[in-house]
Amino acid sequence: MDSLTPAEQRELNSRMERKQMKEFMTMYSKLVQRCFDHCVNDFTTKSLISREESCVMRCVDKYMRSNERVGERFQEQNAAMMQAGSMAGR
Amino acid sequence: MSEKAGTSAAENAAGASSAPSASSATNRGSSAAAPKGAANQGNPAFRMMGLPRLRLPSRNWSIFFTITGSFAGAVIYDKWQTRRIREKWANLVSHIADETLPTHTMPRKLTVYLAAPPGDGLRVAREHFHNYIKPVLVAAAIDWDVVEGRKEGDVRFKTADRIRKKRRRNGEGEQLPQEEADKALTVEALREKSGTVDWDGVAGDLIVGRNTWKEYVRGLHEGWLGPVDAPKPPVVEQQSEFQTTVHSPGHASLGDVAVKAAANTVAPSETDSSSTGDPKDDASPASDDASPDDKSKEDQKENEEEKPKPRHPPPHIQPSEYSSATPSHHIPELVGPSIGVRFPHILGFRNTPIRIYRFLTRRHLADSVGRDVAAAVLASHRPFPSDSTSYPGDDSNAAGRPEQSEVLLHEEKDWWKTTFQPRKVHEESVWIEDMVLDERIANRMRVFQLTAEDEDRAKRISDGREKAVTKDDLES
């Protein structure tokens, strides 16, 4: 990060932001896809019936929670790898 | 009953009286007299009874089928029963797997202590774990951590080391120099930042085998009663150097002698080391020999380099010093409830009949191990009985020996005889020494035991009167 000029850093930051936005939108669309596929299967009526309503709510909850958990474990593993790498380098 | 047209005269004679009648005796007599014909007609006794004309096997084949069939039957029955029993214990605890867990809470973590039995390798122990212990843990979705020991003393060292690490994290003893970046990257630091907490409740230890139990108890005492930092080796004028380092190298003997040979001063070093008052490590014998002679020192140095080095640093405290030591301030009220899990293991050609018997009765082992692991998973524990009070349902401890020293005692009979030979210098001897228990630690130990109602429930599950609780039955 220090080897880049300020202009390059700004460019890097903006690119990172765009990438993160894209990832966020991807996650959102995946979530919608998954919950719809799993919960909604009664097309005799246009609106969501209460069973589907509660299913969708729970689906979103579980998805976000599992995302959180996996993210945390991933972060820990990442940090452990970085630590091991830095220790090996020393 | 219709009779086919016979081919020989004897058959005709036999066929004449083939109608079910009381004259079967004569019939049999006549058929015995004409063997060839009778063989074609099948067993006359069967013919008499009206059964189809099957061919009975000969005497030799009968013997063969009897032996093979009975052995195969015993094996198949035993395998079927072990599977049923394993499922029974797994179903008893399966309801735990369906409980919800908040996102920032780590699941409950049991520690499994697994050591290679005397005379064998670690793989046998691992298979025992995979076959009998792991299914119950998996069914209850319990997280587990394994402390493995390949040789004698490994489990002791690792147990004591874990406890010391915990103590260091709580702030005792000298802190190792650690860079800031490292500190921020550790798993504990990350978890603190994100607010992840450990499971609140008992964790628990599963100890597999009598040898492991002995090492576990020794490691427990060493960890809580011994000093957090390694005792400084009784070394010479380079003592100022050694005082700053915390982890004195495990092979203190080598360093000692090398230093001594280089330094050439022995008398002042002896007074120095005695004044620091650190507990002496008995496991480094070379360092105790403080011979003032130059030549013998050099000889010693050469000997040291040839001798094998001990696997681990010497223990921080010896059993003889337990009574004079003070336990750590951070010692918890309960030193992890624990349970000793059976691990029958026997070697030897002449023990083959015993081994065959054990192979054919593995369902009893599965039942016993499953019960112990289920008790640990359901976290129902009771205190070990102390000498003065007698716990209801306790085994007779007439000799007054505490129960901790009797856990899995029967396994010592199975140990290979080389275990009881005196040890070499660089080897540990935890298995053959008596268990030394300090009251302060022993009173904090608890043992897992299944409650009566859980036993009943297990019985009902195995009888089929009760079904295992599944996700569909639970309200979300």
Side-chain angles (χ1 to χ4, degrees), chain B residues 106-124:
Chain B
M106 299 302 292
R108 180 168 168 222
K109 198 163 193 157
L110 287 179
T111 314
V112 179
Y113 293 84
L114 204 63
D120 208 336
L122 192 51
R123 204 171 283 241
V124 217

Side-chain angles (χ1 to χ4, degrees), chain A residues 58 62 64-69 72-73 75-80 82-83 86-87 90, chain B residues 101-107 178-179 181-183 185-187 190-191 193-194 196 476:
Chain A
R58 290 193 199 119
K62 244 190 182 157
M64 302 305 293
R65 284 208 189 116
S66 50
N67 219 7
E68 227 182 314
R69 227 179 222 277
E72 265 179 40
R73 295 293 91 75
Q75 224 184 357
E76 286 164 17
Q77 287 293 321
N78 232 2
M82 286 206 328
Q83 205 176 29
S86 67
M87 275 189 3
R90 212 170 293 143
Chain B
L101 190 67
T103 327
H104 286 290
T105 309
M106 299 302 292
Q178 224 185 11
E179 296 199 2
D182 272 358
K183 276 220 176 75
L185 281 179
T186 54
V187 169
L190 281 172
R191 291 207 181 147
K193 244 198 299 180
S194 60
T196 308
S476 50

Side-chain angles (χ1 to χ4, degrees), chain B residues 167-209:
Chain B
R167 285 170 73 179
R168 268 205 203 95
R169 238 181 291 142
N170 287 333
E172 292 182 34
E174 283 182 49
Q175 301 292 328
L176 298 171
Q178 224 185 11
E179 296 199 2
E180 277 306 312
D182 272 358
K183 276 220 176 75
L185 281 179
T186 54
V187 169
E188 289 95 15
L190 281 172
R191 291 207 181 147
E192 262 188 61
K193 244 198 299 180
S194 60
T196 308
V197 289
D198 284 329
W199 177 266
D200 62 338
V202 293
D205 303 326
L206 285 168
I207 295 106
V208 178

